[in-house]
Amino acid sequence: MNKYFIGAICVLILVLAAWFLYSPKSPTLPVQESNFSKGGVVIKDNPDVTSISHETNTTIKLYFYNPALDQGPGGVQCSKNGLVAVERTIPKTEAPLTDAVKLLLRGEISDTEKASGIQSEFPLAGLTLTNAAVTEGVATLTFSDPQHKTVGGSCRAGILWAQISETAEQFESVKSVRFLPEELFQP
């Protein structure tokens, strides 16, 4: 009988070990958002933001403008030379292009970034991204701008356009950017 008892315990141990090894992992608890991180976006180096596990994050770049980096004869040149990439960490998503552009449009710049000369005219009242699609390397970004905030001076319109375009072109699938309606970002 002793032999059967030891055998039963060995079988029980094997069953328990197999159950622990092959049982589904416990589900991950949802991350609570802070007020600063609407939509689950985590702004780097901000102690007010709840951190999210690295396994569920991706790092993106937002392109803001620093006029001090874009100086030439006569002052500010209004070129891409003044664009500065700022990293943000967001949850992994099926639509990183959409999420990146929407985050750029929010125009959230940290105090440290502002102190280094980075600026943006975003957010613009009423401006929203309504659709983003990539076909054969061309990202078509459709916006709603009912208050016509994207127009007004070639320098300003060019920098706004460049910020969005560079932010979109960081993704491998995007080779160029097209804006709709075509009246956006006009001087």
Side-chain angles (χ1 to χ4, degrees):
M1 182 144 178
N2 224 356
K3 188 161 81 172
Y4 293 111
F5 181 71
I6 292 173
I9 289 183
C10 288
V11 169
L12 180 62
I13 290 172
L14 288 173
V15 169
L16 286 174
W19 182 75
F20 279 113
L21 289 173
Y22 297 107
S23 68
K25 302 292 182 215
S26 62
T28 311
L29 296 174
V31 176
Q32 291 183 327
E33 298 179 12
S34 71
N35 289 335
F36 192 74
S37 65
K38 296 184 189 301
V41 174
V42 177
I43 308 301
K44 231 178 160 180
D45 301 326
N46 187 331
D48 299 329
V49 179
T50 305
S51 64
I52 301 173
S53 165
H54 292 290
E55 296 173 5
T56 61
N57 289 348
T58 189
T59 301
I60 60 166
K61 294 177 185 170
L62 304 180
Y63 285 83
F64 291 111
Y65 187 68
N66 184 339
L69 301 176
D70 194 24
Q71 295 294 315
V76 175
Q77 301 298 297
C78 304
S79 72
K80 288 184 177 185
N81 293 336
L83 294 182
V84 177
V86 177
E87 287 188 348
R88 298 289 189 258
T89 302
I90 64 171
K92 284 192 179 181
T93 176
E94 295 293 319
L97 170 61
T98 300
D99 293 344
V101 172
K102 284 183 176 182
L103 185 56
L104 176 71
L105 295 180
R106 287 174 28 190
E108 295 173 353
I109 301 173
S110 73
D111 291 338
T112 304
E113 293 162 351
K114 287 178 187 174
S116 71
I118 295 172
Q119 56 184 288
S120 179
E121 290 200 35
F122 295 118
L124 297 173
L127 179 66
T128 57
L129 177 68
T130 59
N131 191 41
V134 180
T135 306
E136 296 180 9
V138 179
T140 301
L141 303 175
T142 306
F143 294 88
S144 174
D145 183 18
Q147 298 177 30
H148 307 288
K149 296 292 185 175
T150 60
V151 297
S154 61
C155 181
R156 178 180 179 273
I159 295 302
L160 293 172
W161 178 89
Q163 284 182 254
I164 296 172
S165 183
E166 289 295 311
T167 296
E169 289 176 1
Q170 75 183 290
F171 300 102
E172 280 186 36
S173 62
V174 178
K175 304 302 178 220
S176 64
V177 179
R178 177 176 170 227
F179 295 107
L180 291 177
E182 293 179 358
E183 297 80 35
L184 295 171
F185 308 106
Q186 297 298 316

